[in-house]
Amino acid sequence: MNEIRETKDASGRDVVRLTARVEGLVQGVGFRDYVRTKGRRMGLVGSATNLPDGAVAVIAEGERAACEALLELLVTGHTPGRTDRVDHAWSDPRGGLAGFLRR
């Protein structure tokens, strides 16, 4: 797991940015809708975007525990379709995101 410095939001919560690339059978199976719904329910902002090579890019910002929970869902493959590989990185939140979008 990449280490990042502790960043707090206005409420004092530890916030992070998760960037993940999910490979497998993840396009055309409801995967992005699933990630968007879970992300919203977890209070995250971000997006799930189809990539030209068949993978899906996931960006999520919010409370660290919620981002870790979303990553766990992606890694364990308890999603529509089939997850073969998940590469991810942690960074400080950049802001500028609203809602959780399916692209």
Side-chain angles (χ1 to χ4, degrees):
M1 179 185 296
N2 301 358
E3 291 299 318
I4 61 171
R5 72 176 197 268
E6 190 171 290
T7 303
K8 302 282 185 181
D9 67 5
S11 304
R13 298 177 306 159
D14 185 17
V15 293
V16 295
R17 179 183 185 104
L18 166 66
T19 303
R21 174 187 167 81
V22 184
E23 298 176 1
L25 178 61
V26 291
Q27 289 190 13
V29 293
F31 181 84
R32 291 177 299 152
D33 286 327
Y34 174 85
V35 172
R36 177 184 62 191
T37 299
K38 291 294 188 180
R40 285 179 177 170
R41 287 183 183 161
M42 294 175 177
L44 301 172
V45 294
S47 61
T49 306
N50 279 345
L51 298 174
D53 65 357
V56 171
V58 176
I59 297 172
E61 284 190 6
E63 193 168 355
R64 179 185 299 270
C67 285
E68 289 173 348
L70 181 62
L71 177 60
E72 181 69 18
L73 289 174
L74 300 177
V75 170
T76 59
H78 296 296
T79 60
R82 185 188 75 246
T83 300
D84 294 335
R85 179 180 175 153
V86 179
D87 293 321
H88 72 281
W90 297 101
S91 60
D92 294 322
R94 297 182 192 167
L97 300 171
F100 209 104
L101 308 175
R102 173 186 172 271
R103 297 183 176 158

XYZ file of all heavy atoms in Angstrom:
778
model
N 0.851 -1.168 0.000
C 0.000 0.000 0.000
C 0.898 1.233 0.000
O 1.833 1.333 0.775
C -0.912 -0.014 1.233
C -1.819 1.190 1.314
S -2.812 1.286 2.833
C -3.820 -0.157 2.688
N 0.643 2.157 -0.890
C 1.404 3.397 -0.934
C 1.071 4.227 0.291
O -0.073 4.359 0.676
C 1.048 4.213 -2.184
C 1.315 3.451 -3.452
O 1.803 2.332 -3.426
N 0.997 4.048 -4.568
N 2.090 4.810 0.907
C 1.867 5.669 2.061
C 1.708 7.103 1.588
O 2.428 7.563 0.710
C 3.037 5.571 3.037
C 3.127 4.231 3.716
C 1.896 3.900 4.541
O 1.380 4.787 5.239
O 1.460 2.740 4.472
N 0.753 7.800 2.173
C 0.550 9.213 1.883
C 0.458 9.957 3.191
O 0.218 9.370 4.239
C -0.719 9.458 1.033
C -1.959 8.983 1.783
C -0.615 8.798 -0.318
C -3.245 9.360 1.131
N 0.696 11.240 3.120
C 0.611 12.008 4.367
C -0.852 12.107 4.785
O -1.743 11.979 3.961
C 1.251 13.370 4.200
C 0.479 14.346 3.363
C 1.199 15.697 3.363
N 0.324 16.729 2.913
C 0.208 17.140 1.656
N 0.934 16.589 0.723
N -0.624 18.108 1.327
N -1.064 12.340 6.046
C -2.423 12.428 6.560
C -3.038 13.757 6.135
O -2.490 14.812 6.378
C -2.391 12.313 8.078
C -3.738 12.156 8.690
C -3.652 11.833 10.168
O -3.232 10.707 10.492
O -3.984 12.712 10.962
N -4.181 13.689 5.485
C -4.922 14.872 5.053
C -6.280 14.834 5.717
O -6.967 13.822 5.685
C -5.094 14.871 3.514
O -3.808 14.797 2.914
C -5.805 16.115 3.040
N -6.676 15.932 6.304
C -7.961 16.008 6.993
C -8.878 16.964 6.238
O -8.441 17.963 5.681
C -7.779 16.539 8.420
C -6.846 15.714 9.285
C -7.512 14.483 9.786
C -6.591 13.746 10.762
N -7.167 12.549 11.257
N -10.182 16.637 6.223
C -11.158 17.558 5.645
C -11.638 18.521 6.735
O -11.145 18.499 7.869
C -12.317 16.805 4.979
C -13.200 16.051 5.944
O -13.003 16.158 7.172
O -14.110 15.349 5.470
N -12.597 19.362 6.402
C -13.099 20.368 7.341
C -13.690 19.739 8.597
O -13.712 20.365 9.654
C -14.138 21.252 6.661
N -14.154 18.491 8.498
C -14.733 17.792 9.650
C -13.688 17.047 10.468
O -14.022 16.396 11.452
C -15.788 16.786 9.177
O -16.778 17.418 8.414
N -12.438 17.089 10.018
C -11.378 16.385 10.722
C -11.210 14.939 10.312
O -10.445 14.203 10.924
N -11.921 14.499 9.266
C -11.798 13.113 8.789
C -10.542 12.959 7.939
O -10.161 13.866 7.213
C -13.014 12.725 7.947
C -14.326 12.748 8.677
C -15.485 12.427 7.756
N -15.456 13.328 6.609
C -16.040 13.106 5.445
N -16.722 12.000 5.252
N -15.976 13.975 4.461
N -9.919 11.796 8.008
C -8.763 11.458 7.185
C -9.266 11.164 5.771
O -10.060 10.243 5.578
C -8.061 10.245 7.778
C -6.770 9.883 7.080
O -6.219 10.723 6.344
O -6.304 8.749 7.279
N -8.854 11.955 4.789
C -9.342 11.790 3.420
C -8.195 11.471 2.460
O -7.064 11.901 2.663
C -10.121 13.037 2.928
C -11.410 13.206 3.706
C -9.279 14.289 3.039
N -8.520 10.682 1.426
C -7.530 10.223 0.455
C -8.142 10.180 -0.937
O -9.352 10.332 -1.109
C -7.006 8.807 0.794
C -6.250 8.798 2.107
C -8.130 7.792 0.802
N -7.283 9.919 -1.905
C -7.712 9.674 -3.285
C -7.219 8.283 -3.669
O -6.041 7.959 -3.503
C -7.121 10.707 -4.233
C -7.507 10.495 -5.696
C -6.812 11.548 -6.569
N -7.225 11.479 -7.944
C -8.066 12.320 -8.539
N -8.599 13.309 -7.850
N -8.380 12.187 -9.797
N -8.134 7.471 -4.159
C -7.825 6.137 -4.671
C -7.933 6.178 -6.185
O -8.939 6.639 -6.724
C -8.820 5.108 -4.119
C -8.853 3.741 -4.804
C -7.547 2.991 -4.587
C -10.042 2.927 -4.303
N -6.895 5.728 -6.862
C -6.929 5.586 -8.312
C -6.670 4.111 -8.612
O -5.665 3.559 -8.171
C -5.844 6.454 -8.990
O -6.033 7.813 -8.595
C -5.925 6.352 -10.501
N -7.606 3.466 -9.315
C -7.479 2.034 -9.588
C -7.765 1.746 -11.057
O -8.572 2.411 -11.692
C -8.431 1.240 -8.711
N -7.082 0.743 -11.560
C -7.318 0.224 -12.911
C -7.741 -1.225 -12.730
O -7.000 -2.038 -12.160
C -6.043 0.317 -13.738
C -6.133 -0.317 -15.091
C -4.762 -0.332 -15.778
N -4.788 -1.194 -16.902
C -5.258 -0.880 -18.106
N -5.725 0.322 -18.307
N -5.258 -1.745 -19.090
N -8.962 -1.539 -13.185
C -9.527 -2.864 -12.983
C -9.588 -3.578 -14.334
O -10.197 -3.075 -15.284
C -10.938 -2.772 -12.367
C -11.476 -4.160 -12.079
C -10.921 -1.911 -11.105
N -8.945 -4.738 -14.400
C -8.928 -5.535 -15.621
C -9.746 -6.797 -15.427
O -9.876 -7.300 -14.321
C -7.491 -5.900 -15.990
C -6.622 -4.695 -16.282
C -5.178 -5.061 -16.547
O -4.830 -6.265 -16.530
O -4.374 -4.136 -16.751
N -10.274 -7.300 -16.519
C -11.077 -8.514 -16.508
C -12.297 -8.300 -17.386
O -12.286 -7.483 -18.305
N -13.362 -9.004 -17.096
C -14.626 -8.812 -17.798
C -15.400 -7.755 -17.015
O -16.193 -8.063 -16.123
C -15.411 -10.125 -17.868
C -16.783 -10.044 -18.549
C -16.630 -9.588 -19.994
C -17.477 -11.385 -18.478
N -15.102 -6.483 -17.293
C -15.656 -5.378 -16.509
C -16.398 -4.350 -17.365
O -16.841 -3.333 -16.845
C -14.563 -4.685 -15.663
C -14.088 -5.605 -14.555
C -13.395 -4.231 -16.528
N -16.531 -4.607 -18.642
C -17.298 -3.703 -19.498
C -18.511 -4.444 -20.045
O -18.436 -5.615 -20.406
C -16.439 -3.161 -20.649
C -15.392 -2.174 -20.173
C -14.694 -1.449 -21.312
O -15.121 -1.481 -22.465
N -13.605 -0.778 -20.993
N -19.651 -3.750 -20.051
C -20.875 -4.339 -20.572
C -21.571 -5.301 -19.626
O -22.424 -6.081 -20.050
N -21.208 -5.254 -18.327
C -21.783 -6.189 -17.359
C -22.357 -5.483 -16.124
O -22.680 -6.125 -15.130
C -20.733 -7.239 -16.908
C -20.360 -8.155 -18.056
C -19.510 -6.566 -16.304
N -22.450 -4.163 -16.159
C -22.973 -3.403 -15.029
C -21.932 -3.044 -13.983
O -22.274 -2.559 -12.901
N -20.669 -3.245 -14.296
C -19.591 -2.989 -13.341
C -19.523 -1.521 -12.935
O -19.447 -1.200 -11.747
C -18.250 -3.438 -13.946
C -17.073 -3.231 -13.038
C -16.762 -4.165 -12.075
C -16.280 -2.094 -13.148
C -15.679 -3.982 -11.232
C -15.205 -1.901 -12.312
C -14.902 -2.851 -11.356
N -19.558 -0.609 -13.898
C -19.457 0.827 -13.568
C -20.646 1.294 -12.738
O -20.484 2.076 -11.799
C -19.332 1.678 -14.839
C -17.996 1.476 -15.545
C -17.923 2.272 -16.833
N -18.981 1.798 -17.731
C -19.567 2.534 -18.662
N -19.235 3.797 -18.839
N -20.497 2.019 -19.427
N -21.841 0.823 -13.063
C -23.019 1.181 -12.264
C -22.870 0.678 -10.828
O -23.213 1.373 -9.874
C -24.299 0.615 -12.874
C -24.734 1.370 -14.107
O -24.502 2.594 -14.175
O -25.313 0.733 -15.008
N -22.358 -0.528 -10.675
C -22.129 -1.109 -9.356
C -21.152 -0.248 -8.556
O -21.401 0.082 -7.393
C -21.592 -2.529 -9.512
C -21.186 -3.184 -8.220
C -22.119 -3.838 -7.435
C -19.865 -3.149 -7.794
C -21.750 -4.450 -6.244
C -19.483 -3.748 -6.606
C -20.429 -4.391 -5.836
O -20.062 -4.984 -4.666
N -20.030 0.120 -9.184
C -19.022 0.937 -8.501
C -19.594 2.304 -8.142
O -19.387 2.801 -7.029
C -17.749 1.083 -9.372
C -16.772 2.084 -8.759
C -17.078 -0.275 -9.563
N -20.352 2.897 -9.048
C -20.962 4.206 -8.778
C -21.923 4.108 -7.591
O -21.874 4.932 -6.673
C -21.709 4.709 -10.006
C -22.423 6.047 -9.760
C -23.226 6.481 -10.946
N -24.271 5.480 -11.205
C -25.009 5.453 -12.285
N -24.863 6.353 -13.229
N -25.928 4.536 -12.446
N -22.783 3.103 -7.590
C -23.746 2.942 -6.503
C -23.035 2.725 -5.164
O -23.373 3.357 -4.161
C -24.696 1.768 -6.789
O -25.419 2.054 -7.996
C -25.670 1.537 -5.649
N -22.057 1.833 -5.141
C -21.314 1.567 -3.901
C -20.561 2.817 -3.447
O -20.564 3.149 -2.257
C -20.336 0.405 -4.086
C -21.010 -0.929 -4.247
C -21.730 -1.336 -2.983
C -22.241 -2.756 -3.096
N -22.953 -3.194 -1.902
N -19.926 3.506 -4.381
C -19.188 4.721 -4.039
C -20.081 5.775 -3.419
O -19.742 6.379 -2.394
N -21.235 5.981 -4.021
C -22.188 6.962 -3.475
C -22.646 6.569 -2.076
O -22.720 7.402 -1.180
C -23.400 7.089 -4.393
C -23.135 7.867 -5.651
C -24.369 7.927 -6.509
N -24.141 8.746 -7.694
C -24.983 8.813 -8.702
N -26.105 8.122 -8.684
N -24.702 9.572 -9.740
N -22.985 5.302 -1.906
C -23.447 4.831 -0.592
C -22.369 4.984 0.476
O -22.669 5.131 1.655
C -23.896 3.373 -0.663
C -25.203 3.209 -1.372
C -25.654 1.774 -1.371
N -26.891 1.631 -2.124
C -27.337 0.499 -2.601
N -26.662 -0.624 -2.400
N -28.473 0.457 -3.279
N -21.111 4.919 0.075
C -19.996 5.060 1.008
C -19.616 6.522 1.239
O -18.673 6.800 1.981
C -18.787 4.282 0.479
C -18.991 2.801 0.440
S -17.560 2.009 -0.326
C -18.003 0.285 -0.181
N -20.320 7.427 0.561
C -20.048 8.844 0.745
C -18.854 9.356 -0.040
O -18.288 10.405 0.282
N -18.476 8.624 -1.081
C -17.320 9.008 -1.893
C -17.746 9.822 -3.105
O -18.900 9.763 -3.536
C -16.577 7.750 -2.365
C -16.052 6.841 -1.265
C -15.521 5.542 -1.851
C -14.985 7.561 -0.450
N -16.797 10.561 -3.661
C -16.984 11.224 -4.947
C -15.953 10.645 -5.898
O -14.891 10.184 -5.475
C -16.826 12.763 -4.841
C -17.932 13.356 -3.991
C -15.464 13.157 -4.306
N -16.275 10.645 -7.197
C -15.326 10.109 -8.156
C -15.991 9.654 -9.426
O -17.050 10.161 -9.807
N -15.383 8.636 -10.066
C -15.912 8.153 -11.335
C -15.429 6.732 -11.617
O -14.429 6.280 -11.076
C -15.468 9.070 -12.484
O -14.051 9.082 -12.589
N -16.177 6.065 -12.482
C -15.800 4.763 -13.036
C -15.907 4.921 -14.546
O -16.987 5.220 -15.061
C -16.724 3.665 -12.528
N -14.788 4.758 -15.239
C -14.700 5.088 -16.657
C -14.181 3.915 -17.474
O -13.132 3.337 -17.138
C -13.744 6.286 -16.854
O -14.164 7.359 -16.020
C -13.710 6.740 -18.305
N -14.894 3.560 -18.561
C -14.388 2.545 -19.482
C -13.128 3.054 -20.161
O -13.066 4.215 -20.580
C -15.429 2.224 -20.555
C -16.489 1.253 -20.092
O -16.344 0.587 -19.075
N -17.564 1.179 -20.837
N -12.141 2.176 -20.313
C -10.925 2.488 -21.033
C -10.937 1.744 -22.367
O -11.567 0.683 -22.479
C -9.705 2.087 -20.207
C -9.558 2.811 -18.858
C -8.399 2.238 -18.061
C -9.383 4.308 -19.080
N -10.241 2.268 -23.375
C -10.265 1.644 -24.699
C -9.791 0.193 -24.736
O -10.207 -0.579 -25.594
C -9.323 2.528 -25.531
C -9.274 3.830 -24.823
C -9.475 3.518 -23.373
N -8.949 -0.219 -23.789
C -8.414 -1.583 -23.807
C -9.290 -2.592 -23.069
O -8.913 -3.738 -22.884
C -6.995 -1.588 -23.229
C -6.948 -1.200 -21.760
O -8.005 -0.873 -21.174
O -5.833 -1.217 -21.193
N -10.483 -2.162 -22.604
C -11.402 -3.067 -21.930
C -11.360 -3.004 -20.415
O -12.180 -3.619 -19.747
N -10.413 -2.265 -19.870
C -10.331 -2.093 -18.418
C -11.247 -0.945 -17.988
O -11.821 -0.242 -18.821
C -8.891 -1.798 -18.003
N -11.377 -0.772 -16.681
C -12.143 0.344 -16.128
C -11.253 1.099 -15.149
O -10.583 0.491 -14.306
C -13.425 -0.137 -15.404
C -14.088 0.998 -14.641
C -14.404 -0.732 -16.416
N -11.232 2.425 -15.284
C -10.500 3.285 -14.362
C -11.469 3.762 -13.280
O -12.562 4.228 -13.589
C -9.919 4.487 -15.099
N -11.067 3.615 -12.036
C -11.882 4.062 -10.903
C -11.094 5.119 -10.139
O -9.937 4.886 -9.772
C -12.234 2.897 -9.960
C -13.005 3.394 -8.743
C -13.024 1.819 -10.708
N -11.721 6.258 -9.930
C -11.155 7.318 -9.100
C -12.160 7.587 -7.996
O -13.345 7.773 -8.269
C -10.900 8.598 -9.912
C -9.859 8.342 -10.999
C -10.462 9.743 -8.990
C -9.691 9.485 -11.967
N -11.685 7.585 -6.759
C -12.570 7.840 -5.621
C -11.833 8.703 -4.609
O -10.660 8.470 -4.325
C -13.005 6.535 -4.976
N -12.549 9.685 -4.092
C -12.006 10.517 -3.031
C -12.987 10.547 -1.878
O -14.202 10.560 -2.084
C -11.773 11.956 -3.502
C -10.562 12.120 -4.354
C -10.205 13.576 -4.622
O -10.832 14.495 -4.057
O -9.286 13.789 -5.415
N -12.433 10.560 -0.683
C -13.267 10.640 0.504
C -12.554 10.066 1.693
O -11.318 9.948 1.701
N -13.331 9.697 2.691
C -12.769 9.164 3.918
C -11.947 7.905 3.614
O -12.365 7.039 2.836
C -13.908 8.841 4.881
C -13.444 8.588 6.274
C -14.591 8.560 7.264
O -15.744 8.820 6.899
O -14.304 8.259 8.431
N -10.792 7.834 4.241
C -9.864 6.720 3.979
C -10.536 5.360 4.142
O -10.393 4.486 3.288
C -8.652 6.815 4.901
C -7.657 5.670 4.703
C -6.532 5.712 5.715
N -5.741 6.913 5.632
C -4.656 7.059 4.855
N -4.253 6.058 4.106
N -3.991 8.182 4.848
N -11.277 5.161 5.211
C -11.915 3.858 5.459
C -12.885 3.491 4.339
O -12.967 2.327 3.930
C -12.634 3.863 6.805
N -13.609 4.462 3.815
C -14.556 4.197 2.726
C -13.811 3.846 1.439
O -14.212 2.938 0.711
C -15.469 5.400 2.509
N -12.724 4.550 1.159
C -11.926 4.232 -0.035
C -11.310 2.841 0.082
O -11.270 2.091 -0.896
C -10.841 5.285 -0.245
S -11.446 6.855 -0.898
N -10.853 2.486 1.277
C -10.300 1.150 1.487
C -11.373 0.084 1.303
O -11.110 -0.981 0.730
C -9.668 1.054 2.870
C -8.381 1.850 2.980
C -7.812 1.912 4.389
O -8.524 1.531 5.364
O -6.666 2.357 4.518
N -12.596 0.362 1.744
C -13.702 -0.588 1.575
C -14.053 -0.759 0.100
O -14.319 -1.882 -0.360
C -14.924 -0.125 2.369
N -14.045 0.339 -0.655
C -14.317 0.248 -2.093
C -13.228 -0.570 -2.782
O -13.521 -1.447 -3.604
C -14.428 1.642 -2.716
C -14.734 1.655 -4.212
C -16.094 1.017 -4.510
C -14.689 3.083 -4.754
N -11.978 -0.323 -2.438
C -10.886 -1.100 -3.022
C -11.044 -2.577 -2.705
O -10.832 -3.427 -3.565
C -9.535 -0.587 -2.521
C -8.319 -1.366 -3.008
C -8.211 -1.341 -4.531
C -7.052 -0.821 -2.359
N -11.439 -2.901 -1.485
C -11.639 -4.301 -1.105
C -12.686 -4.971 -2.000
O -12.515 -6.114 -2.423
C -12.053 -4.389 0.371
C -12.258 -5.801 0.864
C -10.974 -6.613 0.967
O -9.877 -6.035 0.980
O -11.089 -7.847 1.014
N -13.766 -4.247 -2.310
C -14.781 -4.793 -3.219
C -14.190 -5.056 -4.601
O -14.487 -6.079 -5.227
C -15.958 -3.825 -3.344
C -16.854 -3.688 -2.130
C -17.875 -2.575 -2.363
C -17.557 -4.996 -1.823
N -13.367 -4.135 -5.082
C -12.765 -4.294 -6.402
C -11.803 -5.479 -6.422
O -11.805 -6.277 -7.362
C -12.020 -3.025 -6.809
C -12.834 -1.740 -6.912
C -11.925 -0.563 -7.251
C -13.966 -1.866 -7.916
N -10.977 -5.597 -5.403
C -9.946 -6.639 -5.352
C -10.549 -8.032 -5.161
O -10.096 -8.996 -5.765
C -8.924 -6.323 -4.237
C -7.995 -7.496 -3.989
C -8.119 -5.077 -4.606
N -11.565 -8.146 -4.321
C -12.131 -9.466 -4.047
C -12.997 -9.973 -5.187
O -13.341 -11.151 -5.223
C -12.964 -9.456 -2.746
O -14.006 -8.495 -2.872
C -12.101 -9.161 -1.538
N -13.358 -9.072 -6.106
C -14.139 -9.504 -7.254
C -15.608 -9.710 -6.981
O -16.309 -10.340 -7.769
N -16.105 -9.199 -5.864
C -17.535 -9.309 -5.562
C -18.275 -8.197 -6.297
O -18.913 -7.345 -5.690
C -17.779 -9.248 -4.046
C -17.167 -10.391 -3.321
N -17.575 -11.700 -3.523
C -16.165 -10.453 -2.426
C -16.852 -12.496 -2.772
N -15.988 -11.774 -2.095
N -18.156 -8.234 -7.614
C -18.723 -7.218 -8.500
C -19.350 -7.927 -9.697
O -19.067 -9.100 -9.937
C -17.614 -6.275 -9.021
O -16.661 -7.055 -9.752
C -16.906 -5.543 -7.888
N -20.163 -7.225 -10.465
C -20.639 -7.826 -11.721
C -19.444 -8.126 -12.636
O -18.433 -7.433 -12.593
C -21.522 -6.743 -12.322
C -21.922 -5.880 -11.182
C -20.752 -5.910 -10.234
N -19.569 -9.127 -13.437
C -18.482 -9.482 -14.345
C -17.415 -10.299 -13.644
O -17.691 -11.072 -12.725
N -16.166 -10.064 -14.038
C -15.039 -10.809 -13.472
C -13.840 -9.881 -13.346
O -13.440 -9.236 -14.303
C -14.682 -11.986 -14.380
C -13.600 -12.892 -13.831
C -13.141 -13.935 -14.859
N -12.301 -13.293 -15.871
C -12.634 -13.158 -17.171
N -13.790 -13.603 -17.620
N -11.816 -12.577 -18.016
N -13.280 -9.807 -12.161
C -12.090 -8.990 -11.923
C -10.874 -9.899 -11.939
O -10.778 -10.818 -11.133
C -12.192 -8.271 -10.558
O -13.344 -7.434 -10.571
C -10.968 -7.436 -10.294
N -9.952 -9.638 -12.874
C -8.730 -10.430 -12.961
C -7.545 -9.755 -12.285
O -6.666 -10.425 -11.750
C -8.358 -10.693 -14.425
C -9.373 -11.571 -15.128
O -10.073 -12.354 -14.463
O -9.474 -11.464 -16.364
N -7.511 -8.418 -12.336
C -6.365 -7.681 -11.798
C -6.805 -6.279 -11.418
O -7.573 -5.649 -12.147
C -5.269 -7.617 -12.850
C -4.044 -6.867 -12.416
C -3.011 -6.849 -13.509
N -1.907 -6.016 -13.095
C -0.692 -6.167 -13.511
N -0.407 -7.100 -14.386
N 0.260 -5.370 -13.084
N -6.295 -5.796 -10.284
C -6.558 -4.430 -9.854
C -5.234 -3.793 -9.455
O -4.587 -4.241 -8.500
C -7.541 -4.373 -8.656
C -7.768 -2.928 -8.232
C -8.861 -5.047 -8.997
N -4.821 -2.795 -10.207
C -3.659 -1.991 -9.853
C -4.201 -0.717 -9.229
O -5.167 -0.138 -9.740
C -2.830 -1.641 -11.094
C -2.180 -2.862 -11.714
O -1.723 -3.746 -10.968
O -2.149 -2.938 -12.958
N -3.598 -0.286 -8.134
C -4.116 0.905 -7.473
C -2.994 1.753 -6.886
O -1.883 1.267 -6.677
C -5.116 0.529 -6.377
C -4.476 -0.094 -5.180
N -4.091 -1.413 -5.149
C -4.138 0.426 -3.976
C -3.554 -1.680 -3.987
N -3.558 -0.579 -3.239
N -3.334 3.005 -6.637
C -2.404 3.941 -6.011
C -3.196 4.849 -5.078
O -4.359 5.169 -5.345
C -1.681 4.769 -7.074
N -2.540 5.262 -4.003
C -3.116 6.206 -3.053
C -2.419 7.541 -3.216
O -1.215 7.589 -3.463
C -2.909 5.711 -1.622
C -3.589 4.419 -1.329
C -3.008 3.179 -1.281
C -4.973 4.222 -1.068
N -3.954 2.223 -1.002
C -5.167 2.836 -0.856
C -6.076 5.069 -0.981
C -6.409 2.294 -0.568
C -7.311 4.523 -0.693
C -7.475 3.159 -0.484
N -3.159 8.622 -3.067
C -2.570 9.951 -3.105
C -3.418 10.905 -2.277
O -4.477 10.532 -1.772
C -2.441 10.455 -4.553
O -3.708 10.526 -5.179
N -2.931 12.110 -2.142
C -3.698 13.140 -1.455
C -4.878 13.529 -2.334
O -4.769 13.531 -3.565
C -2.833 14.367 -1.192
C -1.705 14.072 -0.212
O -1.933 13.307 0.740
O -0.602 14.611 -0.412
N -6.011 13.865 -1.728
C -7.174 14.267 -2.527
C -6.882 15.555 -3.290
O -6.152 16.417 -2.809
C -8.272 14.470 -1.481
C -7.550 14.678 -0.195
C -6.255 13.946 -0.293
N -7.432 15.652 -4.490
C -7.257 16.837 -5.331
C -8.466 17.752 -5.292
O -8.396 18.901 -5.673
C -6.998 16.423 -6.778
C -5.742 15.633 -6.950
C -5.532 15.295 -8.402
N -4.496 14.299 -8.546
C -4.253 13.640 -9.640
N -4.991 13.839 -10.717
N -3.278 12.757 -9.694
N -9.624 17.179 -4.913
C -10.855 17.959 -4.890
C -11.385 18.160 -6.301
O -10.921 17.566 -7.271
N -12.407 18.993 -6.416
C -12.987 19.286 -7.725
C -13.926 18.224 -8.261
O -14.384 18.316 -9.395
N -14.214 17.203 -7.474
C -15.127 16.148 -7.898
C -16.481 16.351 -7.249
O -16.565 16.795 -6.103
C -14.572 14.769 -7.504
C -13.217 14.391 -8.081
C -12.706 13.119 -7.423
C -13.313 14.220 -9.578
N -17.525 16.015 -7.973
C -18.891 16.133 -7.423
C -19.650 14.863 -7.784
O -19.689 14.467 -8.947
C -19.601 17.356 -7.995
N -20.237 14.219 -6.794
C -20.987 12.998 -7.064
C -20.057 11.849 -7.436
O -18.843 11.939 -7.318
N -20.638 10.758 -7.860
C -19.865 9.615 -8.349
C -20.427 9.292 -9.720
O -21.579 8.898 -9.850
C -19.999 8.412 -7.408
C -18.781 7.534 -7.441
C -17.863 7.556 -6.412
C -18.532 6.705 -8.517
C -16.725 6.757 -6.437
C -17.406 5.904 -8.566
C -16.502 5.937 -7.511
N -19.618 9.493 -10.750
C -20.081 9.413 -12.132
C -19.714 8.106 -12.797
O -18.670 7.519 -12.518
C -19.499 10.563 -12.947
C -19.696 11.974 -12.387
C -18.949 12.977 -13.243
C -21.167 12.287 -12.313
N -20.552 7.680 -13.707
C -20.297 6.543 -14.599
C -19.992 7.133 -15.955
O -20.784 7.862 -16.523
C -21.546 5.657 -14.667
C -21.469 4.550 -15.681
C -22.841 3.872 -15.729
N -22.923 2.934 -16.801
C -23.315 3.226 -18.044
N -23.681 4.444 -18.348
N -23.363 2.295 -18.949
N -18.814 6.863 -16.443
C -18.407 7.431 -17.742
C -18.111 6.332 -18.743
O -17.778 5.262 -18.428
C -17.153 8.290 -17.581
C -17.403 9.482 -16.691
C -16.158 10.305 -16.630
N -16.454 11.490 -15.853
C -15.542 12.218 -15.256
N -14.274 11.888 -15.348
N -15.857 13.274 -14.578
